[in-house]
Structure formats: C-alpha cells, structure tokens
C-alpha cells in the first residue's frame, strides 16, 4: 500500500486497499475458529474486488440490502452462500432476494417473519436476540434483536409458518475487545434454545471481532478460545457455528491517504493547533463520530518534536471535527500540503463517504494486491 502511494502518488484523499491482506485476514479467522462458517459482512467494505476475492476463497456473505445481494452475485458468489442478515427489510426486498436464490434470512420481529414466510417460503431463518453484554467500541444500542422470550416464541412461530428454523444469532457490537461478550451471547442463546423447545441446529455469533487501532486488541485466538469453551459448556449438542466478521477482514487492508489543508491556532498564544485534513466525517471517517475509533496516523515528520492538536475535516460543518477529546499529538513541522496517512482504515470508510457534501466527491478507492 505504501509502495503504491509512493510510486503512483494518487490524488488525495484516497483509500488504498490491499487484497492480499484481505485474503490473509480471512484465512487467519478461519484458522482461529475452523468450526465456524464465515459470512463476510459486506457493509464493512463493499468494494467489488474485495467481494470477488473473498468469494474465490470460499467465503459466504452477510448482506443487508438488495443492493448487496446484487453486488455479491455479480462478483461470483453463490446465492446459497448469502445470508440476508438485516432484520429491517421491506417485503418486496425479501421477495427480490428470494427470486435471486437467497434462502437464509435473519429476523427479530413478527412482521418481518411473516414477510419472510410469505415471500421466501421454506427459507431458513435465524432469530436475532438482543444480547445482554457490555457495550462494544461502536455499540448498536437497542435497534436490533428482540428479548430472549420473544426470540424463543419467534423460533416456534417460524416453524409453525413452515420455515426452516436455523437457530439464533446475536451481535455483540462492532469493535468488541472483551471475549466475555461472546460468552454471554452463547450462554443466552443456549437458554433461549431450551425455552423454545424446537430444534435450532445453528448459532450465528455475529461480527464484532476487533482491530488494534491506537490500542492493541486481544488476538482472535483469545476470542475463539472463549467462544469454544462457552459452546462446550452450554450446548449439550454443539450447534453449527457461523461468524459474520466485517472489520476483522478488511480494516488492516486499507490505508487512507489525506493531505493537510491548513494548520492554525485559534489564539496567537495557543499551544494547541487545529489541523484540517482534506478528509473528514463526510468523506470516509464516519466512525470518528463520538470519537469511537481512534485511528493511528503517520506523517512525514514523525519522530520530530510534536504538540497537541485538534483534527478536523475540510467541510463547513461544525460536526466535521474528527478528534477534539481524544488526545492526539502531531509534529510541529506539519504544514499544509503534507500527507497524513490514516492506518487500518479498510473498514467502514469509503462506503460511508457522502456523494457530494459541500462539493467534496466520494472517497476514491485504489485496489492493489
Ligand atoms: C448483522 C451484522 N453482522 C455483522 C456485522 C459486522 O460487524 P463487524 O464489522 O464488527 O465484524 C455487522 C456490522 O454492523 C452487522 O450489522
């Protein structure tokens, strides 16, 4: 990625994505948890090249919309390997996916379950429950998943409606650094399965596997060992396991190169400088909302004297401030025109960039490897 940036010097801002790293991350996950099937969460990085590379490696896909269904099929995925994991969908979208061969759906409500029964008759269905676990780095809140009692009832209802009950699923929230969150999910899934009283052969553990940004994250093996032990403890017959990783597959495969637009001080004597980059909240750095994700930064002056900074994007929106509470220091030599590389930026960046807010175009993606 660095070589591509140095040799080609593409216009900034841009994201450079390395497919070799994507493949390596996929296989690292497979090796850590070989008993689990992988459904790559397309939302993390929907670059067609990423989807094609993962399809070629044998990955399945977690899709959230008909657009992602079409993307995966166009890149060579088998519809049998697609799981429509978004419990919020229109009946017409269920019908569309079913017509294209998708046979696996996730639900968390009666209305959605009825739509699946009507428009995807005989499909496999997983019920998502709201896991009771400590919050992750980028929490979902209460938007997805139902209570354990409702999940048990929906499993029974799915069987009554003639659907194939796959089992349960949960998502601990993205960028979760505590393996105990999955342990809680597995334990709750086992209890719901017992309460439901219908066969539930599969358990989808969701995504959430973390990336080490400024703070190192526990290795995948630690999460895998905790999950394996919890499944052995709580399920008399082990279910078929699935994971839906997004970040863990693509984050380290991307470098976002930006350029300094301006360095300024709000008062002449201020120690703190404001560093304005040509990338911000609306051109890819969506996950800096609430300063949830603190990326590692690289500049040409690293190693020299530095000082505290507030880092902001280029638009005329007051919310387009990237870091003002998270302590960041950048070199005192940093000037307009210097590059600032944002590391491990392959997940949840380019696809979040706006079409043209303030006239800034969407973040271009260059694929290497
Ligand atoms: C249903 C579902 N599965 C998987 C993922 C991927 O999560 P992560 O990127 O944390 O692995 C998400 C992320 O939002 C999701 O909503």
């Amino acid at each position: 990625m660095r070589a591509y940036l140095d040799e080609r010097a593409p216009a900034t801002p841009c994201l450079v994505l390395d497919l070799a790293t994507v493949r390596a991350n996929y296989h690292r996950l497979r090796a850590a948890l070989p008993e689990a099937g992988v459904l790559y969460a397309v939302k993390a990085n929907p670059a067609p090249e990423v989807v094609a590379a993962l399809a070629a490696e044998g990955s399945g896909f977690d899709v959230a919309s008909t657009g992602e269904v079409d993307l995966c099929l166009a890149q060579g995925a088998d519809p049998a390997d697609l799981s429509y994991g978004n419990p919020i969908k229109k009946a017409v979208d269920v019908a569309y996916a079913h017509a294209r061969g998708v046979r696996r759906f996730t639900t968390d409500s009666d209305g959605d379950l009825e739509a699946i029964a009507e428009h995807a008759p005989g499909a496999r269905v997983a019920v998502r429950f709201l896991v009771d676990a400590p919050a992750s780095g980028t929490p979902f809140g209460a938007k997805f998943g139902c209570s354990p009692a409702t999940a048990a009832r929906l499993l029974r209802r799915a069987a009554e409606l003639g659907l194939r009950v796959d089992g349960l699923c949960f998502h601990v929230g993205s960028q979760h650094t505590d393996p105990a969150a999955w342990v809680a999910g597995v334990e709750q899934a086992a209890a719901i399965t017992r309460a439901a009283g219908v066969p539930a052969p599969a358990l989808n553990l969701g995504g959430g596997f973390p990336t080490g940004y400024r703070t190192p994250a526990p290795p995948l093996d630690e999460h895998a060992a905790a999950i394996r032990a919890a499944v052995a403890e709580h399920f008399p017959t082990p279910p078929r396991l699935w994971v839906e990783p997004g970040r863990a597959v693509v984050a380290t495969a991307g470098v976002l190169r930006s350029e300094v637009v301006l360095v300024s001080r709000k008062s002449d004597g201020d120690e703190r400088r404001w560093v304005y980059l040509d990338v911000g909240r609306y051109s890819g750095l969506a996950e800096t909302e609430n300063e949830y994700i603190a990326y590692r930064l690289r500049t040409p002056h690293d190693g020299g004297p530095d000082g505290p900074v507030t880092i902001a994007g280029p638009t005329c929106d007051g919310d387009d401030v990237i870091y003002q509470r998270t302590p960041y220091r950048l070199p005192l030599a940093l000037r307009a025109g210097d590059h600032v590389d944002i590391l491990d930026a392959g997940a949840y960046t380019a696809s979040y960039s706006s079409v043209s807010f303030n006239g800034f175009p969407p973040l271009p993606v260059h694929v290497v490897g």
Side-chain angles (χ1 to χ4, degrees):
M1 290 180 272
R2 195 61 57 75
Y4 179 91
L5 285 164
D6 292 346
E7 284 159 23
R8 307 283 182 95
T12 67
C14 67
L15 177 68
V16 179
L17 264 184
D18 177 37
L19 292 183
T21 307
V22 171
R23 291 188 199 94
N25 287 341
Y26 169 78
H27 287 293
R28 204 167 294 132
L29 201 88
R30 296 281 300 139
L33 207 57
E35 62 269 56
V38 173
L39 302 164
Y40 168 64
V42 174
K43 70 206 76 173
N45 191 317
E49 296 90 340
V50 168
V51 173
L54 290 170
E57 298 301 314
S59 181
F61 297 91
D62 162 49
V63 295
S65 65
T66 55
E68 289 187 351
V69 170
D70 288 342
L71 166 68
C72 291
L73 298 184
Q75 296 308 317
D78 183 333
D81 294 331
L82 266 50
S83 168
Y84 204 132
N86 188 351
I88 314 300
K89 50 196 170 298
K90 295 177 179 175
V92 68
D93 295 340
V94 173
Y96 183 94
H98 186 254
R100 272 147 194 81
V102 178
R103 296 291 180 268
R104 298 169 65 177
F105 295 84
T106 295
T107 193
D108 65 3
S109 66
D110 284 285
D112 184 56
L113 184 60
E114 286 157 15
I116 295 169
E118 185 177 347
H119 298 286
R124 288 160 61 184
V125 74
V127 175
R128 179 163 169 179
F129 66 95
L130 185 56
V131 63
D132 183 12
S136 69
T138 63
F140 284 128
K143 181 172 176 184
F144 304 107
C146 56
S147 72
T150 299
R153 183 179 63 69
L154 289 177
L155 284 177
R156 287 193 296 274
R157 180 133 195 255
E160 286 160 18
L161 288 169
L163 293 163
R164 287 175 59 197
V165 176
D166 228 1
L168 291 160
C169 64
F170 64 87
H171 195 303
V172 295
S174 202
Q175 182 64 9
H176 214 308
T177 51
D178 186 355
W182 283 270
V183 172
V186 169
E187 185 175 353
Q188 287 157 37
I192 296 168
T193 306
R194 282 194 300 277
V198 291
L203 175 60
N204 184 332
L205 304 156
F209 302 101
T211 293
Y213 291 99
R214 289 215 305 180
T215 315
L220 274 175
D221 286 345
E222 218 173 287
H223 295 281
I227 288 168
R228 193 170 293 123
V231 170
E233 181 181 346
H234 297 291
F235 281 89
T237 311
R240 169 82 173 104
L241 295 181
W242 294 93
V243 286
E244 290 177 353
R247 187 183 307 277
V249 178
V250 288
T252 59
V255 172
L256 201 167
R257 172 154 285 185
S258 70
E259 184 181 303
V260 176
V261 177
L262 178 72
V263 180
S264 71
R265 295 177 204 266
K266 295 296 174 191
S267 293
D268 291 347
D270 279 355
E271 187 196 8
R272 174 171 295 271
R273 291 158 300 151
W274 279 68
V275 173
Y276 299 90
L277 303 178
D278 63 358
V279 68
R281 180 73 54 77
Y282 303 104
S283 41
L285 297 181
E287 286 207 307
T288 60
E289 188 179 359
N290 298 315
E291 308 193 16
Y292 278 146
I293 299 295
Y295 294 101
R296 287 187 294 150
L297 307 180
R298 288 285 174 275
T299 81
H301 308 289
D302 288 353
D306 62 14
V309 288
T310 294
I311 306 173
T315 66
C316 63
D317 184 294
D319 284 332
D320 190 10
V321 177
I322 304 168
Y323 300 117
Q324 52 191 332
R325 294 187 305 277
T326 313
Y328 268 88
R329 298 178 71 85
L330 285 175
L332 298 177
L334 198 68
R335 297 284 179 273
D338 284 340
H339 287 149
V340 174
D341 286 344
I342 301 167
L343 308 189
D344 304 320
Y348 302 111
T349 47
S351 55
Y352 269 125
S353 72
S354 69
V355 173
S356 179
F357 179 57
N358 257 193
F360 291 97
L363 187 67
V365 180
H366 303 258
V367 178
V368 300

